[in-house]
Amino acid sequence: MAGLYFHIPFCRKACTYCDFHFSTTLDRMDALVEALRTELLRRSHEFRGETVDTIYLGGGTPSLLNERDLSALLNDARKLVRLAGTAEVTMEVNPDDVTAEDIDAWKRIGITRLSIGVQSFNDQRLSFMGRAHNADQSARSLDLIAKAGFASWTMDLIYGLPGMTVEEWAAQLDQALSFAPPHISAYCLTVEPRTALHKQVERGDVIAAPDEDQAQQFELLQQRLEAAGYVHYEISNFGKPGHFSRHNTSYWQGLPYVGIGPSAHSYDGAVRRWNVANNSRYIAGVNAGEVYWEEERPTVVQQANERIMTGLRTMWGVGLEALPDLAQATERTVQRYVGSGHLVRNANRIVLTKAGKLLADRIASDLFLTT
Ligand code: SF4
């Protein structure tokens, strides 16, 4: 059993690029927390008595919850789930929520790892993205977090912004590294459908960055962070040894997990389930004991393709022996990408090379099994 995920679907402000499920209406927080607790109680049998190694509070913005609510969720988890003594308990926080008192509270209730959404150290960029915080708040929060003595912590950054130069990105990385984070997640800005950013691009108000600029910034990211001692263990994730995200690594390895909350996904090794992405319908469904989720049983081929998609993005790659009846066409594609220097094949595993990481999604989809 990989882990337990709580989705906290509230944010102060809607970031223009975000397609996660959240609401900026904060008045139903109490009802939502009660529904999360009820859902966990009802689904605790799904852990089958197995030891759970990680809990992840994501969102949305979990740092909007007060200590009482966070502690209620974690205490329920401890009562209902067999939690490993060394469990990793991560919470996503936004820079505008971090105070010394909050940090003390988060440590007191058992959070072991913070993930802070810095995104940029440039106020204009933050404003373009619709973030609720500014660069000063990030710097103050990072100082507090770095000194707080958490087992680990990480910051999120975004590159590939419209008009961003490689020099600007280099300066951002220098600032990030000055706080010596044990882990960094860096995401390339993508224009997702049904976001405010998508509308801005459609209207011609914003011109998305060219692929070549984004690729150049990705290459710089790898160079800078590897030179600073980080291991590039997943396309968007870099950790110092001992600081990789155990929760996310378990997802990528295809281990089962239970997701609690609106829009949360779960996987038990055979069935995938996703809860309704609507706070009111979620709360009503939980309270009435009705079905507020959908589910599907992926076919063997779908499971294999998911393993290709997620595994290939990691430094451990994909074990070909685990793929059922590797199709001739897939074998030929592996050979083609090994020949072009985008994949290496060690024993029966395939791993992306540096050149391959630039084409990760295309290579994965070329490898997908179709029968
Ligand atoms: S704070 Fe995070 S979850 Fe909320 S809108 Fe911004 S990116 Fe999305």
Side-chain angles (χ1 to χ4, degrees):
M1 177 58 72
L4 165 61
Y5 174 80
F6 288 106
H7 189 78
I8 313 298
F10 299 105
C11 295
R12 275 187 220 290
K13 230 180 133 193
C15 301
T16 60
Y17 56 89
C18 178
D19 71 341
F20 292 137
H21 167 63
F22 65 92
S23 166
T24 51
T25 306
L26 307 184
D27 56 2
R28 302 212 69 194
M29 273 190 179
D30 286 350
L32 194 280
V33 170
E34 277 315 304
L36 295 177
R37 298 182 67 185
T38 305
E39 186 185 11
L40 178 62
L41 177 64
R42 292 219 189 104
R43 297 181 62 196
S44 54
H45 64 278
E46 292 180 29
F47 294 95
R48 301 179 293 228
E50 290 173 30
T51 301
V52 169
D53 195 39
T54 64
I55 297 180
Y56 196 101
L57 293 145
T61 312
S63 53
L64 285 175
L65 290 192
N66 60 33
E67 180 182 355
R68 182 201 62 206
D69 288 340
L70 288 169
S71 150
L73 292 176
L74 292 181
N75 283 340
D76 284 358
R78 286 186 197 101
K79 270 187 238 142
L80 296 167
V81 174
R82 183 191 302 199
L83 205 57
T86 53
E88 173 191 271
V89 183
T90 303
M91 182 166 79
E92 292 177 352
V93 304
N94 274 345
D96 41 325
D97 291 327
V98 180
T99 65
E101 294 73 39
D102 289 322
I103 286 184
D104 285 346
W106 296 335
K107 287 177 74 178
R108 198 160 48 233
I109 63 174
I111 307 282
T112 65
R113 181 173 183 272
L114 290 185
S115 171
I116 176 165
V118 170
Q119 319 310 355
S120 173
F121 291 95
N122 175 318
D123 280 341
Q124 277 175 331
R125 295 296 191 185
L126 290 169
S127 154
F128 165 76
M129 290 188 273
R131 299 290 309 186
H133 68 276
N134 61 35
D136 278 349
Q137 286 171 311
S138 290
R140 271 199 299 275
S141 306
L142 289 166
D143 276 335
L144 289 171
I145 290 172
K147 289 186 196 121
F150 285 99
S152 195
W153 63 276
T154 178
M155 73 165 87
D156 283 356
L157 297 174
I158 296 181
Y159 64 96
L161 295 161
M164 189 180 230
T165 61
V166 81
E167 290 76 22
E168 178 188 339
W169 178 228
Q172 293 289 307
L173 288 172
D174 286 345
Q175 273 191 278
L177 291 172
S178 71
F179 294 96
H183 185 284
I184 293 179
S185 300
Y187 301 98
C188 186
L189 184 73
T190 50
V191 182
E192 301 291 348
R194 293 183 300 280
T195 58
L197 179 61
H198 189 254
K199 288 200 190 85
Q200 291 170 334
V201 171
E202 270 188 338
R203 282 198 305 263
D205 296 345
V206 168
I207 298 174
D211 290 350
E212 311 79 68
D213 289 6
Q214 295 186 326
Q216 217 186 353
Q217 288 162 36
F218 179 62
E219 284 177 313
L220 179 79
L221 170 72
Q222 294 182 75
Q223 277 164 22
R224 279 285 164 101
L225 296 196
E226 284 175 356
Y230 294 83
V231 180
H232 190 189
Y233 70 106
E234 197 269 346
I235 288 279
S236 306
N237 287 280
F238 299 78
K240 291 274 170 84
H243 290 276
F244 298 177
S245 163
R246 281 155 54 190
H247 188 83
N248 290 337
T249 300
S250 300
Y251 282 150
W252 301 324
Q253 290 173 342
L255 297 179
Y257 55 90
V258 174
I260 302 290
S263 81
H265 285 232
S266 304
Y267 178 57
D268 67 1
V271 175
R272 293 201 175 280
R273 155 185 169 147
W274 55 99
N275 289 350
V276 62
N278 177 294
N279 290 0
S280 299
R281 283 165 57 201
Y282 170 77
I283 293 168
V286 171
N287 290 345
E290 288 168 356
V291 174
Y292 51 89
W293 67 89
E294 292 179 72
E295 56 187 31
E296 70 172 11
R297 184 177 290 270
T299 63
V300 171
V301 167
Q302 283 170 328
Q303 282 185 324
N305 288 345
E306 282 169 19
R307 213 172 291 172
I308 291 172
M309 189 71 187
T310 49
L312 207 55
R313 292 172 60 91
T314 69
M315 69 180 204
W316 304 283
V318 185
L320 295 177
E321 73 290 346
L323 302 180
D325 304 327
L326 182 65
Q328 282 288 308
T330 303
E331 178 62 42
R332 278 199 301 274
T333 310
V334 169
Q335 284 172 8
R336 176 158 58 84
Y337 279 121
V338 169
S340 63
H342 292 94
L343 282 178
V344 283
R345 189 171 187 159
N346 294 326
N348 219 17
R349 295 195 81 75
I350 49 169
V351 182
L352 290 173
T353 61
K354 269 204 168 16
K357 286 176 188 172
L358 287 163
L359 302 177
D361 290 346
R362 190 202 306 171
I363 296 172
S365 78
D366 284 353
L367 288 169
F368 282 170
L369 308 183
T370 51
T371 53

